[in-house]
Every structure is written in C-alpha cells, then in structure tokens.
Amino acid sequence: MSKIGKKNILIPKDSSIKIDGCDLTITGPKGTKKLTINDKIFSSKLIESEFKILPLEKKIDKKTSIMWGTYRSLINNAVLGVTKGHEKDLELNGVGFRANLKGEELFLSLGFSHEIKYKIPKGIVLKIEKQTKIKISGFDKELVSKTASEIKAIKPVEPYKAKGIKEKNQFVIRKEGKKK
C-alpha cells in the first residue's frame, strides 16, 4: 500500500474541488486547474474539507500502489498551487551576467556574443529582484519547474568557477583547476 496515497488532501476554505466522473476541477484564488484520474482503478470522494482518492480493488498490486501515490501527489500539488502558488528562485553567477524583463520576454546577458531572448509562457510570472536574481512563480508546479529548467539549460553551471544559472540552494561540485 502506498504511504503517500493513504494521506487525505486537506482543502483550504478559499478553494474547491468539483468531481465530474474522472475529471477534477480545482479552483482557488490563484487560478483553476483541471486533472484527469483513471476512474477504472480509483474512486474519489469529497467529505467536507477533505478529499480522498481510493483504489477500487481490494487486492492492490505494486503498479496500482505507485499510481495511487502519484495521483495523490498531483492533486495535492494542484490544490497547493491554486491556493498558495509555487515558486522557484534562480541566481546568475558570473562577471557581467544580467537579466532584464521587457514585456513578455526575458533578456539574458550571459557572456555570449548576443543577448538571449526567452519568451515567458502564459501562467508564469517572472520578477527580477536584482539583475542577478530571477523569481519564477505560478499556480502550475509542472509549468514553473519546466520554465526554471529551460532557463537553467541556457547556461548550465560549470564546475571550475561555478559560472552559470542555478537554483537558489543548488549545490555545485567544484573541480580543481590545472596545476603547474
């Protein structure tokens, strides 16, 4: 049995879940998220301020247990996203590395011969706190993480001087330079 799948999902007062067969619609102050669960394997129940997802079978195999925990995590992330939102912080390390926000595009100066333009997806809010700190926020955890990974992939952190784009608390294993 999945330990994560057994836990109930607490729904805050300002959020609501609507169940329509296998479709779940989760609404909150930050936005609306739609999810689809497999109704041939799982049943969903809404009891006052708690949401439960349960397997239909009495005998649960390993695959069903894994999917049970996965669906529970996806629904919980959606509930947290529409109430509080998700955030990722990125840092730019390097001489002359800067980030600028112009409209719906992020301009990055990363030591290349040209500026890199990154189009911000819908549902994502970017804030430039300093010229070297980027805050990514939104209600969809998958989209926030995807955006952060795409920006980090533009200039990955190199192991010698740790120059590049990294997450706030990301640990970079440093290598020793060439010896004489």
Side-chain angles (χ1 to χ4, degrees):
M1 298 275 289
S2 173
K3 292 178 185 177
I4 295 172
K6 288 180 187 177
K7 295 180 184 177
N8 294 341
I9 299 169
L10 296 173
I11 303 167
K13 293 179 182 176
D14 54 350
S15 298
S16 64
I17 292 182
K18 182 183 171 195
I19 304 168
D20 185 31
C22 63
D23 294 328
L24 297 174
T25 306
I26 304 156
T27 56
K30 299 265 184 182
T32 303
K33 176 92 172 146
K34 289 188 179 188
L35 292 172
T36 304
I37 60 170
N38 191 346
D39 60 344
K40 294 177 182 163
I41 302 173
F42 301 107
S43 67
S44 52
K45 293 180 185 177
L46 186 61
I47 305 165
E48 291 178 25
S49 66
E50 288 190 349
F51 181 77
K52 272 189 178 179
I53 181 170
L54 299 169
L56 292 175
E57 307 169 7
K58 296 288 182 199
K59 186 179 176 189
I60 301 169
D61 60 337
K62 187 165 183 157
K63 187 177 179 185
T64 305
S65 179
I66 292 168
M67 291 308 295
W68 185 24
T70 302
Y71 278 125
R72 191 254 177 220
S73 293
L74 288 173
I75 295 166
N76 191 42
N77 285 338
V79 169
L80 290 175
V82 297
T83 55
K84 297 177 185 173
H86 297 286
E87 288 184 350
K88 292 250 182 184
D89 294 329
L90 300 180
E91 296 175 346
L92 282 78
N93 294 329
V95 178
F97 286 17
R98 291 189 174 86
N100 294 320
L101 196 60
K102 295 178 186 169
E104 294 294 315
E105 292 182 334
L106 175 69
F107 288 91
L108 298 166
S109 299
L110 300 172
F112 298 122
S113 62
H114 59 285
E115 272 193 340
I116 287 97
K117 233 183 346 183
Y118 179 78
K119 182 147 175 41
I120 303 167
K122 290 184 179 178
I124 295 293
V125 177
L126 279 180
K127 291 181 185 173
I128 308 293
E129 293 173 351
K130 293 182 182 176
Q131 289 183 334
T132 59
K133 298 198 185 286
I134 304 169
K135 182 175 261 187
I136 303 168
S137 59
F139 68 88
D140 188 0
K141 186 174 184 176
E142 182 182 359
L143 190 58
V144 170
S145 298
K146 181 178 176 243
T147 303
S149 69
E150 286 175 352
I151 293 173
K152 286 190 325 186
I154 294 171
K155 182 80 172 178
V157 180
E158 52 95 14
Y160 295 101
K161 292 186 180 178
K163 290 183 180 179
I165 305 172
K166 66 176 188 126
E167 285 190 37
K168 188 174 185 178
N169 294 321
Q170 180 180 343
F171 184 74
V172 179
I173 298 173
R174 301 283 299 269
K175 289 184 179 178
E176 190 175 346
K178 192 164 70 169
K179 293 182 181 178
K180 288 185 178 185

